[in-house]
Amino acid sequence: MNRVAITGTGIFTPDEVVTNAELVASYNEYARRQNEEHADEIASGSRDPLPMSSEEFILKASGIERRHVMDKSGVIDPSRMMPKLRPRPDDEISIMAEIAVDAAKQALEQAGRTAADIDGVICAASNHERAYPAIAVEIQHALGIKGFGFDMNVACSSATFGIQAAADMIRSGSARAILMVNPEITSGHQEWRDRDCHFIFGDVCTAVVMERVEGNEDGWEILSTRLATEFSNNIRNNNGFLRRTHDQMGERRDMQFMQEGRKVFRQVVPMVADLMLSHLAEQDLQPSDLSRMWLHQANKNMNDLIGQKVLGREPTREEQPNVLQDYANTSSAGSIIAFSKFSGDLPSGSLGIICSFGAGYSVGSVIVRRM
Ligand code: COA
């Protein structure tokens, strides 16, 4: 079996930022207009008024302060409440492939590799903008990579599942190096008109280069990976290709992200902590051996609790860095942003764990050691 390492990462961050204050102002104006328009039904009791959102709630419940988005004007326009993205003709690169190419170029540069060194592309994300051809094949074409590409989706866990898929191919020898990208245009499937979740997501794309260890690479060796899934309806998006066959093409709440937030919090935290602890134990490692944990970035309170369960004490900000205050939940990209931004300072021999979790339910754990 070959040894495998992460030798480069990259992040595409959209320029536009929506602060909690801007988000709440636009949602509250949308809610006020809705309540005014439906004043009679609300007065007769046949309709509930839309409640107002608050900055204080968002910060306290999630730790999120702002998010990057591909289109701010559409998202904060109370008469629209969703991004406005220009439709692209088939002979122009798709938007997911475009942001992935940007992040991929950074990851390749950090790895000191070119397209010629890569054998395959995995596009792992929580939504893909079309059914086919695969976005990964378009990225492969745009970068001039030979070999193969495929798309995969395990929601917020897509990146760690993508790392295991790539690492297994490299270990067994079917590929020498793989580029994995996570273009997350979450603003397209977030429901900006629902105060329970309108603050959750942000847009970004991450990229990871993984390759066979041949001796003198600088990077993080992937020591072991573990995945787990358990079916749950508590995070769900019902949008799909059979929609027209159900004669349900009208406006529907379940065509966007939905969750039972409290249940997700309660059920996913122990699942994540259990997988991380059993994974470490299988590798004869103690939580105290870890220099850092790069967790999925959904909720600060959730991460604090997971860190506490794994370490048996509160983790420091250095041990468990968060980026969600600036990025919000970027679905599969969150743990990779944290890893990319907060791993360069650790010395050779340091151990860490990348862990993501989300819909499915799904959890992925990747133990790495600085070479
Ligand atoms: N502004 C003000 N009040 C709000 C609000 C908002 N934007 N959104 C909800 N509230 C209200 C609720 O209506 C509720 O009021 P009530 O007590 O009168 O019924 C109260 O605040 C608590 O709401 P709840 O949804 O139970 O909040 P929470 O503490 O569970 O936090 C999440 C919500 C989503 C942040 C949290 O449940 C969570 O992080 N869940 C899982 C993680 C996740 O987001 N996963 C995504 C995929 S990985």
Side-chain angles (χ1 to χ4, degrees):
M1 287 289 205
N2 299 305
R3 289 165 59 203
V4 189
I6 295 173
T7 53
T9 57
I11 308 172
F12 163 83
T13 302
D15 293 335
E16 299 189 351
V17 172
V18 178
T19 63
N20 286 350
E22 292 169 314
L23 181 81
V24 167
S26 92
Y27 168 84
N28 285 352
E29 175 56 18
Y30 163 78
R32 191 195 63 73
R33 289 184 195 180
Q34 286 289 309
N35 293 342
E36 192 175 79
E37 191 182 324
H38 300 286
D40 291 346
E41 295 150 77
I42 292 168
S44 72
S46 62
R47 186 185 184 111
D48 289 330
L50 288 181
M52 297 295 146
S53 184
S54 95
E55 280 181 70
E56 295 71 33
F57 172 85
I58 294 171
L59 189 61
K60 189 161 168 280
S62 70
I64 297 165
E65 294 174 29
R66 62 190 72 84
R67 69 280 300 140
H68 291 264
V69 290
M70 297 301 289
D71 173 54
K72 177 173 178 171
S73 61
V75 159
I76 61 165
D77 176 355
S79 62
R80 183 172 175 87
M81 304 297 280
M82 69 179 87
K84 189 169 178 64
L85 301 177
R86 178 178 63 80
R88 298 182 176 201
D90 290 353
D91 59 2
E92 186 180 340
I93 190 167
S94 64
I95 190 165
M96 279 183 71
E98 185 175 275
I99 65 175
V101 164
D102 184 298
K105 284 181 176 166
Q106 299 173 44
L108 286 167
E109 192 184 332
Q110 194 183 84
R113 297 292 178 197
T114 68
D117 300 312
I118 304 294
D119 296 327
V121 178
I122 300 176
C123 180
S126 56
N127 256 301
H128 295 274
E129 70 181 282
R130 60 168 182 260
Y132 41 79
I135 308 291
V137 178
E138 191 180 5
I139 296 163
Q140 179 199 349
H141 173 71
L143 288 168
I145 292 171
K146 296 203 168 58
F148 63 91
F150 62 87
D151 293 348
M152 55 176 278
N153 175 0
V154 200
C156 291
S157 298
S158 298
T160 49
F161 280 59
I163 288 175
Q164 172 160 312
D168 284 351
M169 285 188 264
I170 297 166
R171 278 190 200 107
S172 67
S174 64
R176 207 201 59 80
I178 299 279
L179 167 70
M180 191 222 26
V181 292
N182 320 105
E184 290 289 4
I185 306 185
T186 62
S187 57
H189 53 100
Q190 161 140 298
E191 182 49 90
W192 298 88
R193 296 167 294 186
D194 181 347
R195 81 161 184 167
D196 287 351
C197 67
H198 75 128
F199 54 91
I200 289 182
F201 289 111
D203 298 337
V204 82
C205 180
T206 47
V208 179
V209 170
M210 283 158 278
E211 58 183 292
R212 187 188 303 166
V213 174
E214 272 165 354
N216 53 359
E217 293 83 356
D218 184 15
W220 289 83
E221 181 169 359
I222 297 173
L223 298 183
S224 173
T225 59
R226 283 290 178 278
L227 310 178
T229 51
E230 233 173 69
F231 185 71
S232 168
N233 275 323
N234 290 331
I235 315 175
R236 207 170 159 117
N237 181 331
N238 285 334
N239 209 345
F241 79 103
L242 291 179
R243 189 174 179 188
R244 66 175 191 149
T245 69
H246 301 142
D247 296 324
Q248 291 179 334
M249 293 304 285
E251 178 73 46
R252 284 170 61 106
R253 176 64 188 89
D254 65 340
M255 295 297 116
Q256 282 76 248
F257 166 88
M258 300 188 300
Q259 76 166 346
E260 295 277 350
R262 280 272 156 105
K263 288 187 187 159
V264 173
F265 196 112
R266 219 178 39 242
Q267 294 166 357
V268 170
V269 166
M271 199 178 154
V272 174
D274 287 352
L275 185 75
M276 287 170 78
L277 285 168
S278 61
H279 190 193
L280 287 167
E282 277 173 40
Q283 300 300 309
D284 287 327
L285 293 170
Q286 304 293 325
S288 55
D289 294 329
L290 297 173
S291 297
R292 201 154 288 169
M293 296 187 285
W294 302 279
L295 299 188
H296 172 47
Q297 303 285 310
N299 179 301
K300 182 174 182 306
N301 303 325
M302 213 169 170
N303 282 5
D304 288 349
L305 202 52
I306 292 167
Q308 217 158 7
K309 281 182 185 288
V310 171
L311 294 184
R313 61 171 170 79
E314 211 170 298
T316 65
R317 283 216 309 239
E318 287 68 35
E319 287 171 322
Q320 190 177 286
N322 283 322
V323 300
L324 54 77
Q325 63 280 6
D326 298 320
Y327 281 90
N329 181 345
T330 50
S331 198
S332 68
S335 57
I336 306 299
I337 304 173
F339 174 73
S340 181
K341 285 186 182 286
F342 297 101
S343 55
D345 60 312
L346 293 173
S348 174
S350 303
L351 281 169
I353 195 161
I354 303 170
C355 182
S356 61
F357 43 88
Y361 297 132
S362 54
V363 190
S365 170
V366 179
I367 299 175
V368 290
R369 181 175 54 210
R370 181 90 195 239
M371 293 192 297

